[in-house]
Amino acid sequence: MATTQSAPTLTFPRPIFAALSPSPFLQAHLAPKNPIRANARAPTEFRKPGLNTGSLTHCNGSAVVRLGNTTVVCGVRAEVLRAEDVPQPIDPKADEEDDVEEIDTLRLLVPNVELSTGSTPTFLPGQAPSTFAQSLITRIRSLLLSTRLVRAKDLRIMYTPPRTTEDEDEEVQPEVKAYWTLYIDTMFISLDGDAFDAAWGAILAALRNTMLPASDWDQDLEMVLCDDDVKKARKLELRGLPVAATFAVFQGEEDEEGEDRSWVLSDPDAFEEGVCRESVTIVVDGKKGSGKIRRIEKSGGTVVGREVMKGLIRRSEERWEEWNAVLKG
Amino acid sequence: MPLDTSTYSLALLRLDGRRWNELRRLHAQISTQAAADGSSYLEMGNTKVLCTVSGPHEGKAGGAGGGPRSTQAKIEVEISFAGFSGVERKKRQAKDKRTSEMSHTLTQSLAALLLTHLYPHSTITIHLSILSQDGSLLAACINAATLALIDAGIPMTDYLCACTTAAPPTSAETEAGGDPLLDLNGQEEQELPFLTVATVGKGHAVSVLIMESRVRMEKVEGMLAVGVEGCKRVREILDKVVKEHGKRFA
């Protein structure tokens, strides 16, 4: 319990106080000189991510991420899309860095998030995906494309036709015969706030864990043949390591001087998300000083301005170092 | 065919190196989710199932109108398959007939097992998430549901434990008829006729028996006997898991 100078003894227990008046409950925790949240974290403290990769048998890559009581499972399945089944084939661009259009148009990355698994009482199983789930999927998809995380060349299955002419100088151009489509399925086992960070972290870890089998186009059989030798399988060559950090802004009651009191809480849990009206999500790639901002999303409220945003970006860079340590080993 | 391999006829070892009466690695954890009333995670080989129980709580359709059910708790079972669970990525609809059949079987068997008369006008919701399928799916769901219900503290008479058995192979070599196989994986389930059996308690009380393939009458008794023995062993393992969990509070 936070000890304030003139706190009267409560006649009912903490959880009831939290349920009856959540805002004053949280404010009572944050008001003193050393603010502490109801979950005993400092306002700038994130939950340490727990990670386990490669546990699912039928997947090309998988990861289980725990952020406190939020648990997410992500599985990546690769399936073949034949180039002749594509209505409007796309020429692979000469510039390898500019391959987003190929992935976007052919829908080679298909993220999906399943929230209605009984993960929390608000998301009961058997329901249609809620707007929250749908918006989560859209945000993840747009982040996957805008960070250009997956290279199109990793997803192409090429075929070099044999020489038809005797001309030694003529180059034989390899053709794209098929693509790998990655179905990225994320399932929430339990949700205690900060769904986006957990889902993105799991997807990132699963993609880093993904192995695609060595595959060739067989001209006689007219199909893609895959080699089941594990040594020949290759990992995806991802671009960078974008890490997401979400913040919630808690706006308390005015204090004695009539000034607004507000705190920005890192990595909110379900209780804090319930009382906060403003949230910011920042995606950065790189450590302090040399990081690049990949995305800033802000919704609701007027508390976070430029100065506060700078502080949040610094916090996100620190978070990048935490995730980097967890993902790399 | 899983049993046509030379290793089986020579050394009587199945594709994964087991003998006819060996269970796969059964790993179970109880109370895996703090937020749910009861939860469990169970692995039978590569079949991985997660179960959460919430309840008993007030039913959705208000208690006033209840018919014969209102003197007992109502059990609801929901099963959801993760997209990455099977060999092919097939998004199973919630109203899929096979899924409905599985959940109906679970509802019936659990309604008979749990002491539902202690919770009139309420509903117990059991949700199963299938993370990976590799045979014995219904059996794994039954075992996971049992553990999660124990974690939720809902009273029951005894453990409901399940496993699968397949018909013994008959070929020229095995004149005696061969032994029924215990605990099938995905490949064996597709090729051989099999049944799922669940028993209550240590004895021979069979609560669930499902068989969907054709088999000769003479073999059924043998399969059932092996299945019941297998369920006894599953019961020992599940009991150990529950007792280990209880030791934390000792």
Side-chain angles (χ1 to χ4, degrees):
Chain A
M1 273 295 295
T3 48
T4 55
Q5 296 84 337
S6 56
T9 338
L10 288 180
T11 50
F12 42 83
R14 268 187 94 216
I16 304 219
F17 184 15
L20 284 176
S21 50
S23 271
F25 179 73
L26 195 52
Q27 178 145 14
H29 281 78
L30 295 171
K33 270 214 182 50
N34 287 336
I36 190 164
R37 293 146 79 170
N39 50 32
R41 283 189 274 151
T44 53
E45 194 183 326
F46 289 86
R47 288 175 285 192
K48 187 168 191 305
L51 176 65
N52 210 308
T53 51
S55 35
L56 295 174
T57 357
H58 296 302
C59 295
N60 294 73
S62 63
V64 181
V65 165
R66 283 195 87 112
L67 267 184
N69 273 336
T70 300
T71 315
V72 182
V73 182
C74 177
V76 176
R77 299 289 319 267
E79 300 207 342
V80 173
L81 168 70
R82 301 206 315 189
E84 56 204 36
D85 293 334
V86 173
Q88 272 162 343
I90 297 195
D91 267 328
K93 290 256 170 54
D95 180 9
E96 275 192 16
E97 296 302 309
D98 188 19
D99 52 9
V100 183
E101 196 197 323
E102 198 174 345
I103 294 182
D104 191 5
T105 333
L106 296 174
R107 300 209 191 284
L108 297 179
L109 294 175
V110 184
N112 185 34
V113 174
E114 194 59 59
L115 268 171
S116 302
T117 56
S119 48
T120 122
T122 33
F123 297 114
L124 289 174
Q127 290 172 345
S130 56
T131 34
F132 179 61
Q134 291 182 45
S135 71
L136 208 57
I137 298 175
T138 318
R139 287 164 72 193
I140 287 175
R141 183 162 185 274
S142 86
L143 189 59
L144 272 170
L145 293 173
S146 70
T147 53
R148 297 178 303 125
L149 189 63
V150 182
R151 292 175 200 268
K153 76 167 174 52
D154 280 340
L155 302 178
R156 293 185 208 126
I157 299 173
M158 311 290 283
Y159 171 68
T160 311
R163 288 179 174 283
T164 43
T165 64
E166 291 298 313
D167 195 346
E168 288 288 323
D169 293 334
E170 194 179 307
E171 282 286 326
V172 184
Q173 291 292 340
E175 315 167 1
V176 184
K177 280 297 188 181
Y179 296 90
W180 283 112
T181 307
L182 297 182
Y183 288 94
I184 306 169
D185 290 303
T186 322
M187 197 171 192
F188 272 86
I189 296 176
S190 64
L191 183 57
D192 189 19
D194 210 3
F196 185 76
D197 284 7
W200 178 255
I203 289 175
L204 195 56
L207 283 171
R208 284 169 59 90
N209 179 248
T210 303
M211 302 264 281
L212 292 177
S215 47
D216 276 307
W217 173 263
D218 188 308
Q219 187 63 7
D220 303 314
L221 295 169
E222 292 215 338
M223 56 194 264
V224 177
L225 295 179
C226 297
D227 201 326
D228 57 4
D229 186 356
V230 179
K231 288 191 274 294
K232 293 196 192 145
R234 58 194 161 86
K235 285 203 156 184
L236 294 176
E237 217 181 297
L238 301 176
R239 284 195 192 102
L241 194 78
V243 160
T246 301
F247 307 89
V249 180
F250 174 64
Q251 191 144 27
E253 302 272 322
E254 287 183 359
D255 63 6
E256 293 93 38
E257 284 100 66
E259 281 198 24
D260 276 331
R261 308 231 33 210
S262 61
W263 295 267
V264 183
L265 310 171
S266 303
D267 191 6
D269 63 16
F271 171 72
E272 290 163 358
E273 274 184 355
V275 287
C276 297
R277 296 275 165 270
E278 189 175 341
S279 82
V280 183
T281 300
I282 299 178
V283 180
V284 293
D285 189 351
K287 53 178 183 282
K288 194 175 290 195
S290 62
K292 289 197 165 38
I293 300 176
R294 293 280 182 217
R295 162 166 299 217
I296 297 182
E297 287 171 336
K298 180 187 176 319
S299 65
T302 53
V303 172
V304 177
R306 285 167 55 180
E307 284 307 314
V308 183
M309 189 63 87
K310 282 191 205 159
L312 296 185
I313 293 177
R314 261 191 298 272
R315 284 199 227 173
S316 309
E317 286 177 321
E318 283 163 17
R319 182 61 163 166
W320 184 89
E321 309 227 15
E322 276 183 48
W323 268 109
N324 190 31
V326 170
L327 286 166
K328 291 260 163 80
Chain B
M1 305 293 126
L3 301 182
D4 282 352
T5 59
S6 55
T7 28
Y8 192 75
S9 47
L10 290 173
L12 291 178
L13 289 175
R14 289 142 85 175
L15 279 171
D16 47 13
R18 288 185 288 150
R19 297 198 186 280
W20 64 274
N21 62 349
E22 282 175 8
L23 286 172
R24 288 179 290 181
R25 171 180 168 271
L26 206 166
H27 169 75
Q29 280 179 315
I30 206 172
S31 209
T32 49
Q33 258 166 274
D37 287 329
S39 57
S40 69
Y41 170 71
L42 189 122
E43 284 181 20
M44 276 175 91
N46 279 333
T47 300
K48 299 178 171 81
V49 174
L50 197 62
C51 181
T52 51
V53 167
S54 67
H57 54 77
E58 204 177 304
K60 282 181 253 183
R69 286 274 174 201
S70 63
T71 50
Q72 297 181 329
K74 182 163 176 282
I75 314 244
E76 281 178 0
V77 174
E78 299 256 0
I79 305 186
S80 79
F81 288 79
F84 44 72
S85 58
V87 179
E88 278 176 17
R89 185 190 181 269
K90 236 196 308 184
K91 277 214 85 173
R92 286 247 203 155
Q93 297 297 330
K95 295 290 176 221
D96 184 24
K97 290 236 170 65
R98 282 197 71 85
T99 317
S100 310
E101 193 192 345
M102 267 176 71
S103 60
H104 179 74
T105 308
L106 272 161
T107 312
Q108 296 286 77
S109 54
L110 291 172
L113 174 79
L114 301 172
L115 304 179
T116 49
H117 61 271
L118 295 172
Y119 304 107
H121 310 291
S122 43
T123 309
I124 302 173
T125 313
I126 298 157
H127 182 75
L128 290 145
S129 308
I130 316 283
L131 299 177
S132 177
Q133 297 177 57
D134 191 24
S136 302
L137 187 57
L138 181 60
C141 290
I142 292 175
N143 294 331
T146 302
L147 281 180
L149 287 164
I150 291 175
D151 185 40
I154 298 176
M156 57 173 80
T157 45
D158 207 320
Y159 291 80
L160 176 68
C161 304
C163 70
T164 50
T165 43
T170 42
S171 50
E173 289 98 45
T174 54
E175 301 117 12
D179 303 301
L181 301 183
L182 182 63
D183 196 9
L184 313 174
N185 61 27
Q187 211 176 345
E188 289 168 346
E189 238 178 46
Q190 280 178 341
E191 309 280 350
L192 302 170
F194 74 100
L195 58 79
T196 306
V197 59
T199 57
V200 178
K202 298 182 203 165
H204 302 278
V206 171
S207 173
V208 176
L209 179 57
I210 300 223
M211 176 156 200
E212 285 162 343
S213 26
R214 278 191 317 184
V215 95
R216 292 183 67 95
M217 280 272 289
E218 306 90 66
K219 300 195 185 177
V220 175
E221 194 180 338
M223 286 160 74
L224 203 45
V226 171
V228 168
E229 278 305 307
C231 291
K232 270 198 225 166
R233 275 196 259 155
V234 170
R235 185 188 182 283
E236 280 165 22
I237 299 174
L238 296 185
D239 194 31
K240 222 190 309 186
V241 170
V242 174
K243 292 211 161 94
E244 277 299 318
H245 182 74
K247 276 203 193 123
R248 289 205 266 145
F249 304 102

